[in-house]
Amino acid sequence: MNPVHPINQPVESTALRGEAEAYSPKASPKAISKVLSIANVKIWFQRNAFNLHRWISIIALVPALVWSLSGTAHPFMAHWFKPPIAKEFLSPQPVNTQTVVIPLSEVLKASGIQAIQQFHVVQFQGTTWYQIHQVSSPERLYFNTQTGAPLTNGDALFAEYLARQYFIGTRGYQTATVTGKCLVTDFNDDYRFINRLLPVWKISFAEGSYDVYVETSSGRMATYNTPARRAFLWAFQYMHNWGWLNGAETLRVGIIVTFLSVILSGSLSGIVLYIFLWSKRKKSPAKGLRKYHRSIGIAVSLSTLMFASSGMYHALHKERLRDERGQPSIQAQSTFTAEELNFGAEQATFVSPPIFDVGVVRMPENDGSTVFYRFSHGVKNVGASLSDCCTPLQNTDKDMQGKRPEKIRVASYVNAHTGESLPKGDVLYAKHVAISLAGLAENAITGDSVITELKGEYGFVFKRLPVQRINVNTPDNLACYVETATGTLAAEVRQSDRLEGFTFAYIHKLEFLKPLGTDMRDGVAVTAGFTNSLVALLGLVLFVRLPKKN
């Protein structure tokens, strides 16, 4: 029998078909070389793809399990198992200005205090106090506004008073036993940078082993923890964020990016194998664990790619390090002498009551600097004319029933020496803070607006409200968010931040599912995390039980 020439031989595979075409008398040497090269690559891939997938995946196994399982902790600690607290916000209480008898300057001179960074007027224990922020200490001082007498351990007492307001009523507790007080001046494992506020007091309660963190300068609660929540936080910090490498940021990011690259390669190689082996799988379907590994793996492959790629982008985004360093405040650069602070009963009448808070700021004016009192007080909601005197600190729009609030809180700025009101003072001060802390040129500012909700590019991670949004004419469309109550640059958002924030929110945290409800979104995220872990474990079993494929 005469041998069959290859060109007349039936071919089944693409590679063999390519080789057959190379034997054509009409084919050029270049075409023959190209076809044979493609054929060789395909043959090599068919022979080695399976083993490549196995070894890539086994390298990615432990990181994939750690990230998948620890990622499921976030919904539990943030929503499902979040412990109850009586209040997360306290309604501002009007200051009894009739009790402001002794001028602040006299109190400071009598106490030998030459200069301060800030002051407020607060009420607790049935008394009105001057709260003094010193230059040399994060702990505030308190002086009776009627007698000028100091309050021993006043900051700790005020912190306990605030913490009780937030805590009392939790699980029916009408009283609470304080077991510890600690002034926190740096972020740590229990109080992470995501909480933003510093310094804060940690007040520990015996009931439920709660720790409540409060900021005495603003009276707000930063966060609270219980033993269960602390465990979730620990797991998330050390297993998901790899906090055990904190202090070696380059090494941490390098290792994270390397393993995420391996996970992406393992997932992509699995998808390619699934596609290339389609015809073979139809003729000889997989059975047992291999069947489940393939089916579940291809079902969750999209979520694997989403989580890994967005996580890598987040890790490589350099601007997130700026947030971890904290939010700078101009108060750290400002000092006021006792002679400049003549606040007393007369100055309390500069604005319409009720007054909720008062502070002091310094702004450049007429080639010099001027001291202004910043009042937070209430006025009737008269719409657009508010901008002539003051800046709204809350939403003034109509509610769902079409009703507009009759009274709102506003910020007014009054010259400390002349008593003259400064039109649009909050905007002017926000611009001064942005120029000073962000290094802006005044002529680069193109607009401003007040933000009273945490949403969009200024999300819940930034914590502070209300803030002024200062738009800046830069190639990256910079927006500076300034909390004028504390003189803090709460956020600097650039175009790259917006893109990374959108990617992380919608691809990594599945925010696109939020219209279906928070529970549905978190349920999908947890299911994806556990299912990815199952695929990894099935792959490990197959790696151990099945021989290497030649």
Side-chain angles (χ1 to χ4, degrees):
M1 181 179 292
N2 295 327
V4 180
H5 194 278
I7 197 168
N8 299 317
Q9 183 177 346
V11 292
E12 296 181 1
S13 70
T14 303
L16 292 178
R17 190 178 300 115
E19 290 183 76
E21 292 172 354
Y23 279 93
S24 172
K26 298 180 180 180
S28 67
K30 185 176 181 181
I32 293 173
S33 175
K34 179 179 180 181
V35 171
L36 290 176
S37 176
I38 295 174
N40 290 335
V41 170
K42 290 182 177 179
I43 292 171
W44 182 90
F45 180 81
Q46 287 174 342
R47 289 180 176 178
N48 296 279
F50 180 76
N51 286 326
L52 280 174
H53 175 70
R54 292 181 74 201
W55 284 105
I56 290 173
S57 298
I58 204 66
I59 294 172
L61 175 68
V62 173
L65 284 173
V66 169
W67 273 318
S68 297
L69 293 175
S70 61
T72 62
H74 191 273
F76 287 96
M77 71 180 180
H79 300 114
W80 292 341
F81 286 178
K82 186 177 182 179
I85 194 80
K87 298 176 183 177
E88 293 199 16
F89 304 96
L90 296 180
S91 299
Q93 299 300 313
V95 173
N96 183 1
T97 55
Q98 294 182 351
T99 61
V100 181
V101 177
I102 300 181
L104 177 59
S105 57
E106 294 185 16
V107 171
L108 295 177
K109 290 176 182 178
S111 303
I113 299 175
Q114 301 298 320
I116 66 172
Q117 286 185 324
Q118 185 57 272
F119 84 93
H120 295 286
V121 178
V122 300
Q123 293 181 149
F124 73 104
Q125 295 184 345
T127 305
T128 306
W129 308 89
Y130 286 123
Q131 182 195 67
I132 306 301
H133 302 205
Q134 288 182 288
V135 177
S136 58
S137 173
E139 191 167 348
R140 319 307 187 196
L141 300 179
Y142 294 75
F143 297 92
N144 191 305
T145 59
Q146 291 180 291
T147 66
L151 178 64
T152 304
N153 297 324
D155 211 33
L157 292 174
F158 186 47
E160 179 182 335
Y161 165 80
L162 290 171
R164 287 183 182 276
Q165 304 308 302
Y166 290 111
F167 181 70
I168 294 298
T170 301
R171 295 180 179 176
Y173 299 143
Q174 298 307 313
T175 59
T177 304
V178 173
T179 58
K181 304 175 189 178
C182 175
L183 183 62
V184 179
T185 57
D186 294 296
F187 298 117
N188 54 49
D189 288 345
D190 288 335
Y191 185 75
R192 297 182 56 235
F193 75 90
I194 193 67
N195 296 299
R196 308 293 177 176
L197 307 180
L198 281 178
V200 294
W201 279 89
K202 172 185 174 183
I203 307 298
S204 301
F205 293 99
E207 293 79 1
S209 297
Y210 273 70
D211 292 331
V212 179
Y213 295 83
V214 294
E215 184 187 50
T216 54
S217 61
S218 63
R220 56 192 161 191
M221 179 176 67
T223 190
Y224 62 96
N225 289 331
T226 62
R229 195 158 187 261
R230 283 192 289 271
F232 280 123
L233 285 170
W234 185 92
F236 195 79
Q237 169 68 359
Y238 281 88
M239 298 175 67
H240 204 78
N241 293 338
W242 291 33
W244 48 279
L245 284 173
N246 283 348
E249 186 63 18
T250 302
L251 176 64
R252 186 176 78 93
V253 172
I255 293 176
I256 287 175
V257 170
T258 299
F259 278 123
L260 286 175
S261 300
V262 175
I263 290 173
L264 284 170
S265 300
S267 181
L268 288 171
S269 62
I271 294 172
V272 171
L273 271 175
Y274 189 87
I275 295 172
F276 269 78
L277 298 178
W278 178 265
S279 59
K280 181 179 179 181
R281 191 171 58 257
K282 289 179 68 176
K283 294 179 181 179
S284 178
K287 297 180 181 179
L289 294 181
R290 176 173 284 181
K291 173 185 176 181
Y292 292 117
H293 177 69
R294 286 178 178 175
S295 301
I296 299 173
I298 200 67
V300 300
S301 58
L302 178 60
S303 69
T304 307
L305 295 175
M306 289 171 60
F307 290 140
S309 59
S310 57
M312 183 187 297
Y313 186 15
H314 181 68
L316 289 171
H317 188 61
K318 295 180 180 179
E319 296 304 324
R320 86 190 147 70
L321 299 177
R322 179 188 60 222
D323 296 332
E324 297 184 19
R325 289 193 294 268
Q327 299 163 307
S329 172
I330 202 170
Q331 288 185 8
Q333 305 174 6
S334 303
T335 57
F336 303 88
T337 63
E339 289 76 13
E340 293 178 303
L341 302 174
N342 59 346
F343 184 83
E346 179 182 348
Q347 286 70 34
T349 64
F350 283 168
V351 297
S352 60
I355 295 175
F356 301 109
D357 188 25
V358 61
V360 60
V361 304
R362 189 189 302 278
M363 279 191 281
E365 187 179 55
N366 299 327
D367 297 326
S369 65
T370 303
V371 176
F372 294 89
Y373 294 126
R374 182 188 186 276
F375 292 93
S376 170
H377 63 113
V379 299
K380 289 185 178 181
N381 186 7
V382 291
S385 62
L386 282 175
S387 60
D388 297 334
C389 68
C390 41
T391 302
L393 298 178
Q394 66 185 74
N395 193 340
T396 61
D397 297 335
K398 295 179 180 179
D399 60 18
M400 296 181 64
Q401 286 73 38
K403 295 182 179 179
R404 188 185 297 273
E406 294 183 4
K407 291 186 177 181
I408 60 171
R409 283 192 306 128
V410 298
S412 293
Y413 289 70
V414 178
N415 189 301
H417 298 288
T418 66
E420 294 181 1
S421 179
L422 179 66
K424 298 184 178 181
D426 212 49
V427 174
L428 293 174
Y429 184 55
K431 291 180 179 180
H432 168 60
V433 173
I435 290 170
S436 300
L437 299 182
L440 306 180
E442 188 171 357
N443 58 7
I445 296 176
T446 59
D448 58 83
S449 57
V450 63
I451 305 298
T452 58
E453 297 179 81
L454 295 171
K455 63 180 183 180
E457 68 182 38
Y458 189 76
F460 75 96
V461 296
F462 295 113
K463 301 294 184 182
R464 299 176 184 271
L465 280 179
V467 293
Q468 289 282 351
R469 185 183 196 269
I470 306 299
N471 302 326
V472 187
N473 181 20
T474 60
D476 53 7
N477 295 320
L478 173 64
C480 294
Y481 291 85
V482 177
E483 184 184 50
T484 52
T486 59
T488 298
L489 183 59
E492 295 177 71
V493 181
R494 296 172 173 81
Q495 198 60 34
S496 60
D497 300 319
R498 295 182 183 96
L499 179 59
E500 190 277 331
F502 178 87
T503 303
F504 194 70
Y506 283 86
I507 297 180
H508 200 85
K509 301 175 71 175
L510 307 184
E511 283 296 303
F512 66 92
L513 294 175
K514 198 166 185 181
L516 302 177
T518 301
D519 287 339
M520 177 62 74
R521 179 202 63 190
D522 291 348
V524 171
V526 169
T527 302
F530 282 128
T531 310
N532 274 286
S533 301
L534 177 61
V535 171
L537 290 173
L538 289 174
L540 174 62
V541 175
L542 290 171
F543 183 88
V544 174
R545 290 176 53 178
L546 297 179
K548 179 181 178 182
K549 196 167 185 178
N550 295 316

